[in-house]
Amino acid sequence: MLERVKQFFSDLQGSEIQQTQIDMKLAATALLVEVARADDNRSHVEQETIFKLLKKHFELSDAETQELLTAANQQSDESVCLYQFTSTIKKNASREQRIKLIQGLWVVAYADGEVDPEEEATIRKIADLLYVSHSDYIQAKLKAAS
């Protein structure tokens, strides 16, 4: 009996970790989508860039990547602010992971060859909400630009 209780809590903890990873993927994807939408110009190049970033970073199949993108677009449509996404990441991601996300946001912004002021403002706001220092923000921007 005691062994079953231990197993139950072990399974519960494992599923919480898995759910946190899913939530972080969805939150990160939603932030990438928010940057692409910031300039009111949803370019195909930016959408393709997001797809490639997700597939490579999260090691997903095409179908899994599309499913994640669809869910993130829906979440983004229903969202009224960035906080719900940034709070999930801030609580669960390391400093390096948060900086890497900012770099990914810059990659999306640069994808169409032009960084709109609205895209830059959105990335700055996200960086602030994630407590990414200005120095790390600039370094991420420079890495993405090269």
Side-chain angles (χ1 to χ4, degrees), residues 47-59:
Q47 296 303 316
E48 186 64 29
T49 300
I50 293 171
F51 188 89
K52 288 177 183 176
L53 283 172
L54 295 174
K55 187 173 177 170
K56 180 181 176 186
H57 182 73
F58 294 130
E59 299 176 353

Side-chain angles (χ1 to χ4, degrees), residues 68-88:
L68 180 59
L69 259 173
T70 300
N73 274 297
Q74 181 180 359
Q75 288 289 319
S76 183
D77 287 343
E78 296 170 1
S79 173
V80 294
C81 69
L82 299 171
Y83 181 76
Q84 75 183 64
F85 307 126
T86 58
S87 65
T88 298

